[in-house]
Amino acid sequence: EIIVSPYCHVMGAYGVALLAKEAQKVNEPSRFRGFDLSERRIELAEETCKLCQNNCTITHANIESVAEKPSWGYLCGREPDEKKARLSDQFDLFTLRDKLLKTAGRVPELAPDAPEIGIPMSLTSYTFRPLWERFFGRLGYRGRFTSPTGSETSKHGVSLVAGESCYPIKISTGHVAKLLDSESVKWAFVPLMVAEEELTELPVRTFCPLVQGHPAVLKSSLAAAGYDVSRILSPAIDFRCPEKTTVRRLYEALGETLGLSIGEIRAAWRSAQEAQEEFHDKCQSEGKKALEAIKSRGETAIVIVGRPYNTFDNGANLSLPLKIAQYGYRVIPVDFMPFSPELVPEEYRGVFWTYGQRIIAALDQVRRSDNLFAVYLTNFYCGPDSFLLSYAEQIMGSKPLLILTLDEHGADTGYITRLEAYLDVIAARRAPAEVCPIHIPRASHEEFRRRKIWIPPMHPFGAPISADAFKAFGYDAEALPVEDYEAFEIGRSKTRGDECLPACVTIGALLKKFRDIDTDPSKHAFFMPTAPGPCRFGQYALLHRMILNDSGYADVPILSPSSTNTYMGLENPLRRRLWLALLTGDLFFKAGCHIRPYELQKGETDRVLEEALNILRVAFADRGGDIKGAISEGIELLRCVPVGGDPKPLVGIVGEIYIRCNAFSNEDIVRTIELLGGEAWLSPTSEWILYTSYLQEFNAREKSLGLRALIGANLKKHFLQRDEHRLYEMAGELLKDRHEPSIEQIISEGERYIPIEFRGESILTIGRAIIFARQGASLVVDCEPFTCMHGTISDAIFQEVSQTIGIPIVNMAYDGEGGQNSRLEVFFANREGADVSV
């Protein structure tokens, strides 16, 4: 039993009062101001302390009838009468790292009056400052980096960001606005950072979607606030691409604007890479020396893990690393820890975020070192950390780990309380840490054929037809029932709570089914495809593996083909049939949406759809089944449904693929639209497969993979599109005005707001919404999981898009609790005489 005091909210204050009482000297008079303090006039004044790079905002209080003027806000811990910042020797590695960051890229011979390029000291600048400082220096420009984050910059950024986002993105927006506010800065440089170079065993090392999408969201948000965003230069930088691709992108973004030749840019880029490598190597060598010295002295040290823009930005982290040092513990920057692919445990090498890989490698070393402990600095709304924190706890096992979540609302008081408790724990700890590897059962195709494969119920027609496609090739597959609230609660009980909703409901549906049938784990498997990022979807399989192990199903394997190569982990004939299954499911679901609002006999469309689905499933489950004939028969049944009535408002549905297609997750958005008097048009699941195929062709060009790879990718895309066109030809008049635009058209429209180099659903969501408006939609609904990173980006940009296309776009962030769809009533209520009761 857990007993919670009814006065728990004041227990901390009561504890401090008791400590103060104990500390008070005998017969010493109290300095308590009196209970009438709240009735006196108190005037507050702020100033910025310039004694160090913290740029602390110091608040002074002038209290009526009190001579003393108390002040607070000294992040370094100095007293008000001290004239120097209070530093700690235990903080020396952070100080050294800051010095290396600021000197590694300098160009000494740069002229004092060199023109300036403004660069925000935010996000990836805490890693790549040497790169850009050297790059622009070699081109004759001085990189003017903004000063460290202060409260004014933070507050301004928070006020400018459209929609929800993590704190570092808000901070960075404030930094860029500060540059644009400066009359001496003509250009602000905000590159779109895609990924770091490939490493052995770590072929994908992307930055998170919010970092990648930052330039696009930034421009949209600042343009709405009246800033001239044409002054922002944003080339796409993907270190996996060959030099000629990167130089071309830099030239396209900077050449004409700054008067630079492609040869000058190439030479500057090469020099910049040398500076960045020098910085990295110096951090690693200094870290190695420091770790050896700490171990030889038997010291207990604390590694500060997290993204650089959390661990090194004192304005974002409230100088918590310095405060830890002031308690007498040496603090070690995460990039001073040794890093190589071999240091990332094998089961975590599918983590595709570059900073996440460093965090995992550092934590694994901390677990194995008796004298090292870790403090993990994260953010509310951090998408990658919603998964990485679970991995971190798994890696650390029994070793204490402190996780501190930073946001714009935090003062350091609550953090200090937790920090002190953590330091008490590690001071008393002597037991070695347990090793907690993740058991990953291996299974061949033959093994999967001996088990029942459960398929998540993403699409009402696509999922069961796909299960039958598996059956045609000797697999015993079945679609899980559509989730309900019980499945959601099961999934939520097994996750942290801040993962995206599909990760929760899919594993919840599987565990509920296992409970219902009291299953033998040796007879079952789970189908959960994956992707190489940057979206969190690619981490579902690993998180689900951990949950299955923890739930007693460690021997249930997961079949997890990847979008990297359009899911080539499956045999080609099966992949072809699964593609047809998705297309067919999309086609018949769309037909139902097109017919049902106009049916003359209520329920007739659903009855006919069920009959058609049964015919389709029989054909798909038979290796020699007449799929074409079954599709034609189903279409003919639907043509016979009696319809009539005036046209209804058309509502386009876009967004994250699982949420927009899954009736439980989106609270049955299609039926809601129909009950409100509209007709729904859902973006199909096939859109994503066509997009991954398009990206294969794009990658072949951008990465210079050769003519063979380019031709192969082009042929694959051609065959996929040909199948889609044939199905619409079979539908004929039934769907003549409901054809999907080509994937090239969608990307072309989305690329006006999101660069093609930024991978993921944002560009599809935005591009499809624009085309929906052209196809006659009166409203677009964007369905996303709560905290979805791509949804956050789309949400911010949609405010601009909606004004451009002239129709409303409603952003729906679903969390499984219900009540979102009621927001649509106001849009339908604006139609004169509309009955909007649901």
PDB file of all heavy atoms in Angstrom, residues 473-488:
ATOM      1  N   PHE A 473       1.157 -18.080 -49.094  1.00  0.00           N
ATOM      2  CA  PHE A 473       2.556 -18.497 -49.187  1.00  0.00           C
ATOM      3  C   PHE A 473       2.975 -19.355 -47.997  1.00  0.00           C
ATOM      4  O   PHE A 473       4.145 -19.426 -47.653  1.00  0.00           O
ATOM      5  CB  PHE A 473       3.456 -17.269 -49.315  1.00  0.00           C
ATOM      6  CG  PHE A 473       3.347 -16.603 -50.654  1.00  0.00           C
ATOM      7  CD1 PHE A 473       2.325 -15.713 -50.916  1.00  0.00           C
ATOM      8  CD2 PHE A 473       4.243 -16.913 -51.663  1.00  0.00           C
ATOM      9  CE1 PHE A 473       2.194 -15.112 -52.156  1.00  0.00           C
ATOM     10  CE2 PHE A 473       4.129 -16.320 -52.906  1.00  0.00           C
ATOM     11  CZ  PHE A 473       3.102 -15.422 -53.164  1.00  0.00           C
ATOM     12  N   GLY A 474       2.006 -20.005 -47.392  1.00  0.00           N
ATOM     13  CA  GLY A 474       2.303 -20.986 -46.362  1.00  0.00           C
ATOM     14  C   GLY A 474       2.414 -20.460 -44.953  1.00  0.00           C
ATOM     15  O   GLY A 474       2.812 -21.204 -44.048  1.00  0.00           O
ATOM     16  N   TYR A 475       2.087 -19.183 -44.738  1.00  0.00           N
ATOM     17  CA  TYR A 475       2.125 -18.611 -43.392  1.00  0.00           C
ATOM     18  C   TYR A 475       0.718 -18.658 -42.786  1.00  0.00           C
ATOM     19  O   TYR A 475      -0.275 -18.418 -43.474  1.00  0.00           O
ATOM     20  CB  TYR A 475       2.593 -17.153 -43.422  1.00  0.00           C
ATOM     21  CG  TYR A 475       4.006 -16.950 -43.895  1.00  0.00           C
ATOM     22  CD1 TYR A 475       4.284 -16.748 -45.248  1.00  0.00           C
ATOM     23  CD2 TYR A 475       5.076 -16.945 -43.001  1.00  0.00           C
ATOM     24  CE1 TYR A 475       5.576 -16.545 -45.697  1.00  0.00           C
ATOM     25  CE2 TYR A 475       6.376 -16.728 -43.438  1.00  0.00           C
ATOM     26  CZ  TYR A 475       6.610 -16.538 -44.790  1.00  0.00           C
ATOM     27  OH  TYR A 475       7.907 -16.333 -45.223  1.00  0.00           O
ATOM     28  N   ASP A 476       0.658 -18.923 -41.504  1.00  0.00           N
ATOM     29  CA  ASP A 476      -0.613 -18.859 -40.785  1.00  0.00           C
ATOM     30  C   ASP A 476      -0.723 -17.461 -40.173  1.00  0.00           C
ATOM     31  O   ASP A 476      -0.243 -17.219 -39.064  1.00  0.00           O
ATOM     32  CB  ASP A 476      -0.659 -19.933 -39.692  1.00  0.00           C
ATOM     33  CG  ASP A 476      -1.966 -19.891 -38.906  1.00  0.00           C
ATOM     34  OD1 ASP A 476      -2.914 -19.206 -39.357  1.00  0.00           O
ATOM     35  OD2 ASP A 476      -2.040 -20.515 -37.835  1.00  0.00           O
ATOM     36  N   ALA A 477      -1.313 -16.531 -40.904  1.00  0.00           N
ATOM     37  CA  ALA A 477      -1.380 -15.131 -40.469  1.00  0.00           C
ATOM     38  C   ALA A 477      -2.820 -14.727 -40.188  1.00  0.00           C
ATOM     39  O   ALA A 477      -3.761 -15.233 -40.814  1.00  0.00           O
ATOM     40  CB  ALA A 477      -0.779 -14.214 -41.531  1.00  0.00           C
ATOM     41  N   GLU A 478      -2.956 -13.801 -39.259  1.00  0.00           N
ATOM     42  CA  GLU A 478      -4.292 -13.305 -38.909  1.00  0.00           C
ATOM     43  C   GLU A 478      -4.161 -11.864 -38.405  1.00  0.00           C
ATOM     44  O   GLU A 478      -3.229 -11.538 -37.664  1.00  0.00           O
ATOM     45  CB  GLU A 478      -4.927 -14.178 -37.827  1.00  0.00           C
ATOM     46  CG  GLU A 478      -6.357 -13.782 -37.491  1.00  0.00           C
ATOM     47  CD  GLU A 478      -7.003 -14.720 -36.493  1.00  0.00           C
ATOM     48  OE1 GLU A 478      -6.541 -15.884 -36.381  1.00  0.00           O
ATOM     49  OE2 GLU A 478      -7.964 -14.296 -35.817  1.00  0.00           O
ATOM     50  N   ALA A 479      -5.087 -11.013 -38.831  1.00  0.00           N
ATOM     51  CA  ALA A 479      -5.105  -9.630 -38.356  1.00  0.00           C
ATOM     52  C   ALA A 479      -5.667  -9.587 -36.938  1.00  0.00           C
ATOM     53  O   ALA A 479      -6.670 -10.249 -36.631  1.00  0.00           O
ATOM     54  CB  ALA A 479      -5.950  -8.758 -39.276  1.00  0.00           C
ATOM     55  N   LEU A 480      -5.026  -8.848 -36.081  1.00  0.00           N
ATOM     56  CA  LEU A 480      -5.537  -8.655 -34.729  1.00  0.00           C
ATOM     57  C   LEU A 480      -6.859  -7.883 -34.772  1.00  0.00           C
ATOM     58  O   LEU A 480      -7.083  -7.079 -35.682  1.00  0.00           O
ATOM     59  CB  LEU A 480      -4.531  -7.871 -33.884  1.00  0.00           C
ATOM     60  CG  LEU A 480      -3.273  -8.634 -33.460  1.00  0.00           C
ATOM     61  CD1 LEU A 480      -2.183  -7.654 -33.021  1.00  0.00           C
ATOM     62  CD2 LEU A 480      -3.601  -9.612 -32.339  1.00  0.00           C
ATOM     63  N   PRO A 481      -7.742  -8.122 -33.808  1.00  0.00           N
ATOM     64  CA  PRO A 481      -8.971  -7.322 -33.752  1.00  0.00           C
ATOM     65  C   PRO A 481      -8.632  -5.841 -33.563  1.00  0.00           C
ATOM     66  O   PRO A 481      -7.608  -5.498 -32.960  1.00  0.00           O
ATOM     67  CB  PRO A 481      -9.698  -7.878 -32.515  1.00  0.00           C
ATOM     68  CG  PRO A 481      -9.069  -9.202 -32.245  1.00  0.00           C
ATOM     69  CD  PRO A 481      -7.657  -9.106 -32.721  1.00  0.00           C
ATOM     70  N   VAL A 482      -9.482  -4.974 -34.090  1.00  0.00           N
ATOM     71  CA  VAL A 482      -9.278  -3.541 -33.882  1.00  0.00           C
ATOM     72  C   VAL A 482      -9.212  -3.274 -32.388  1.00  0.00           C
ATOM     73  O   VAL A 482      -9.999  -3.803 -31.597  1.00  0.00           O
ATOM     74  CB  VAL A 482     -10.418  -2.730 -34.523  1.00  0.00           C
ATOM     75  CG1 VAL A 482     -10.255  -1.244 -34.219  1.00  0.00           C
ATOM     76  CG2 VAL A 482     -10.414  -2.950 -36.030  1.00  0.00           C
ATOM     77  N   GLU A 483      -8.280  -2.443 -31.971  1.00  0.00           N
ATOM     78  CA  GLU A 483      -8.057  -2.177 -30.554  1.00  0.00           C
ATOM     79  C   GLU A 483      -9.317  -1.594 -29.895  1.00  0.00           C
ATOM     80  O   GLU A 483     -10.172  -1.009 -30.553  1.00  0.00           O
ATOM     81  CB  GLU A 483      -6.894  -1.184 -30.372  1.00  0.00           C
ATOM     82  CG  GLU A 483      -5.581  -1.642 -31.001  1.00  0.00           C
ATOM     83  CD  GLU A 483      -5.386  -1.144 -32.405  1.00  0.00           C
ATOM     84  OE1 GLU A 483      -6.402  -0.768 -33.048  1.00  0.00           O
ATOM     85  OE2 GLU A 483      -4.246  -1.146 -32.882  1.00  0.00           O
ATOM     86  N   ASP A 484      -9.363  -1.768 -28.600  1.00  0.00           N
ATOM     87  CA  ASP A 484     -10.386  -1.125 -27.787  1.00  0.00           C
ATOM     88  C   ASP A 484      -9.682  -0.471 -26.603  1.00  0.00           C
ATOM     89  O   ASP A 484      -8.450  -0.484 -26.515  1.00  0.00           O
ATOM     90  CB  ASP A 484     -11.461  -2.121 -27.326  1.00  0.00           C
ATOM     91  CG  ASP A 484     -10.879  -3.340 -26.607  1.00  0.00           C
ATOM     92  OD1 ASP A 484      -9.709  -3.260 -26.138  1.00  0.00           O
ATOM     93  OD2 ASP A 484     -11.574  -4.358 -26.506  1.00  0.00           O
ATOM     94  N   TYR A 485     -10.469   0.093 -25.692  1.00  0.00           N
ATOM     95  CA  TYR A 485      -9.844   0.814 -24.582  1.00  0.00           C
ATOM     96  C   TYR A 485      -9.044  -0.129 -23.684  1.00  0.00           C
ATOM     97  O   TYR A 485      -8.024   0.268 -23.120  1.00  0.00           O
ATOM     98  CB  TYR A 485     -10.903   1.548 -23.758  1.00  0.00           C
ATOM     99  CG  TYR A 485     -10.316   2.616 -22.860  1.00  0.00           C
ATOM    100  CD1 TYR A 485      -9.880   3.828 -23.397  1.00  0.00           C
ATOM    101  CD2 TYR A 485     -10.161   2.408 -21.494  1.00  0.00           C
ATOM    102  CE1 TYR A 485      -9.315   4.806 -22.596  1.00  0.00           C
ATOM    103  CE2 TYR A 485      -9.603   3.385 -20.682  1.00  0.00           C
ATOM    104  CZ  TYR A 485      -9.177   4.580 -21.234  1.00  0.00           C
ATOM    105  OH  TYR A 485      -8.617   5.547 -20.434  1.00  0.00           O
ATOM    106  N   GLU A 486      -9.483  -1.378 -23.566  1.00  0.00           N
ATOM    107  CA  GLU A 486      -8.739  -2.349 -22.749  1.00  0.00           C
ATOM    108  C   GLU A 486      -7.353  -2.596 -23.349  1.00  0.00           C
ATOM    109  O   GLU A 486      -6.346  -2.618 -22.628  1.00  0.00           O
ATOM    110  CB  GLU A 486      -9.510  -3.662 -22.653  1.00  0.00           C
ATOM    111  CG  GLU A 486      -8.800  -4.708 -21.788  1.00  0.00           C
ATOM    112  CD  GLU A 486      -9.512  -6.046 -21.765  1.00  0.00           C
ATOM    113  OE1 GLU A 486     -10.598  -6.157 -22.371  1.00  0.00           O
ATOM    114  OE2 GLU A 486      -8.962  -6.993 -21.159  1.00  0.00           O
ATOM    115  N   ALA A 487      -7.301  -2.772 -24.682  1.00  0.00           N
ATOM    116  CA  ALA A 487      -6.008  -2.969 -25.339  1.00  0.00           C
ATOM    117  C   ALA A 487      -5.120  -1.742 -25.154  1.00  0.00           C
ATOM    118  O   ALA A 487      -3.911  -1.861 -24.920  1.00  0.00           O
ATOM    119  CB  ALA A 487      -6.214  -3.249 -26.821  1.00  0.00           C
ATOM    120  N   PHE A 488      -5.723  -0.575 -25.247  1.00  0.00           N
ATOM    121  CA  PHE A 488      -4.967   0.659 -25.049  1.00  0.00           C
ATOM    122  C   PHE A 488      -4.393   0.726 -23.636  1.00  0.00           C
ATOM    123  O   PHE A 488      -3.222   1.073 -23.434  1.00  0.00           O
ATOM    124  CB  PHE A 488      -5.879   1.858 -25.311  1.00  0.00           C
ATOM    125  CG  PHE A 488      -5.338   3.171 -24.809  1.00  0.00           C
ATOM    126  CD1 PHE A 488      -4.180   3.713 -25.335  1.00  0.00           C
ATOM    127  CD2 PHE A 488      -5.993   3.867 -23.799  1.00  0.00           C
ATOM    128  CE1 PHE A 488      -3.680   4.926 -24.873  1.00  0.00           C
ATOM    129  CE2 PHE A 488      -5.513   5.072 -23.333  1.00  0.00           C
ATOM    130  CZ  PHE A 488      -4.355   5.602 -23.864  1.00  0.00           C
TER     131      PHE A 488
END
